[in-house]
Amino acid sequence: MNISPLLSHRLFNYPIIWILLYSIVSLPFLESVATKQDACQICRHITENFRKGMEKTANKNFGGGNTDWEKKNLAKYEISETRLLEIIELLCESMNFDCNQMVEQNEEHIENWWFKKQEKYPDLFQWLCLETIQVCCPPGTFGPDCSSCIGGSTKPCSGYGQCDGDGTRSGTGICNCDPGYAGSICMECADGYFEESRNDTQLVCRECYKSCKKCTGPEDYKCQECKVGWFLHDDKCIDIDECDTELANCKPGQYCVNVDGSYECKDIDECNSEKQICNGEHEECRNTEGSYMCACIDGFSKQDGVCVEDQVTPVPEEGLFDNVTEDEMVVLQQMFFGVIICALATLAAKGDMVFTSIFIGAIAATAGYWLSEKSDRLVDGFLKGK
């Protein structure tokens, strides 16, 4: 079976995007990006997803209805090509170039394990990543030859740290110690910690008092050396008041505040002084970092060093019919003539109730339309005499 077409489909699931990508980014650049990912990590990701895919497809079958024919001609779904393809679909995200590339390069190994090796070697990670393509190392080893980590492969870094490159074909093997531990094999207590107990194989480090760099116990009176910003006196670390010495380095306009083991420079709010600083008319004091400024209050702007009231340009007032559109004017004309006709008809009828009602209705309709659409301008216009 050849699974390359399937992988190609996954790699180029969005062909337009990939064409644009390759037109902008050169292939050597893509390859250099790919090498940044650890090959062992990628292989571990693939085998872990393969395991999840096997679990997901464990209860599936062909479902064709002709069970005897399936057993004879398609073999069992459990070790079928169909199931393998379904699992491979789950191994890598479509845009994960490194993952898809590794699967494609090792398709023969994956097929070989699936059809011939999985019964004898049930751990795909062990068989593929460690023994076959050799991109990973056993735990406690590192580097191209899977050399033992410092401190031994069974207990790297004495059990108090992580071997650099542990389990991969890269790294230096140097111990990165856990917090509180130090030394080439992590069998020393770091600064700020002391030995609570020790034997040939075990070391327990506990934290010193907060001001102690080295100590013999957790109490504040068991210090041997102090951290920066403290000085030792009778086995205690006393805080240095930098603000009372020349150690502080605050800028002009800043106030020095002593804190444990250090100091802080806080801004002085000159505007909070009892003495009035800004004496100009319509001026107010505004605090700035390390200083202050005299600025005009709202509604005033500084001109030639003096705060002058802002001049608001008056907006011309609109008349009642200033913004009437042509369509609205046509409607008004029609309503006006309608009212006139109704009025004349009412007069001709000498006060007949029917025509009187029509007349009143026409006036009400005209007023309703105009007031509902133009009420704000109508009232404003009448008030302004326009």
Side-chain angles (χ1 to χ4, degrees), residues 128-296:
L128 179 66
C129 303
L130 272 70
E131 300 175 4
T132 305
I133 63 175
Q134 297 181 347
V135 293
C136 296
C137 285
T141 62
F142 75 99
D145 301 321
C146 293
S147 305
S148 295
C149 290
I150 297 176
S153 59
T154 57
K155 196 177 181 182
C157 306
S158 307
Y160 301 115
Q162 182 73 28
C163 165
D164 181 54
D166 190 357
T168 74
R169 297 275 172 164
S170 60
T172 62
I174 296 175
C175 289
N176 299 311
C177 300
D178 297 335
Y181 295 85
S184 60
I185 58 173
C186 303
M187 279 298 284
E188 300 174 17
C189 289
D191 288 346
Y193 292 81
F194 70 95
E195 291 185 8
E196 185 178 56
S197 63
R198 173 195 283 272
N199 56 34
D200 293 339
T201 59
Q202 189 176 23
L203 170 66
V204 178
C205 298
R206 283 189 60 190
E207 197 169 3
C208 296
Y209 188 73
K210 63 179 182 179
S211 58
C212 302
K213 182 178 180 181
K214 293 183 180 180
C215 66
T216 58
E219 294 81 9
D220 64 343
Y221 55 85
K222 291 188 177 180
C223 296
Q224 295 177 312
E225 187 178 340
C226 298
K227 294 179 180 178
V228 176
W230 307 78
F231 69 94
L232 189 64
H233 178 71
D234 293 337
D235 297 328
K236 286 187 176 183
C237 290
I238 310 300
D239 175 50
I240 298 174
D241 187 353
E242 292 85 358
C243 297
D244 200 31
T245 66
E246 296 181 355
L247 297 174
N249 188 26
C250 292
K251 298 177 181 179
Q254 291 182 328
Y255 179 74
C256 181
V257 179
N258 186 60
V259 296
D260 284 347
S262 186
Y263 68 96
E264 296 177 352
C265 294
K266 295 186 177 181
D267 177 53
I268 298 175
D269 188 356
E270 294 86 355
C271 297
N272 200 25
S273 172
E274 294 182 358
K275 181 180 177 181
Q276 186 173 353
I277 298 177
C278 299
N279 298 313
E281 190 175 7
H282 307 301
E283 272 188 344
E284 63 180 1
C285 178
R286 295 180 185 175
N287 187 56
T288 61
E289 186 176 355
S291 185
Y292 70 94
M293 63 179 294
C294 293
C296 297

Side-chain angles (χ1 to χ4, degrees), residues 301-321:
S301 299
K302 189 159 286 190
Q303 298 179 10
D304 298 328
V306 180
C307 291
V308 180
E309 186 175 7
D310 296 333
Q311 298 298 319
V312 180
T313 304
V315 180
E317 297 179 349
E318 297 179 350
L320 179 62
F321 297 100

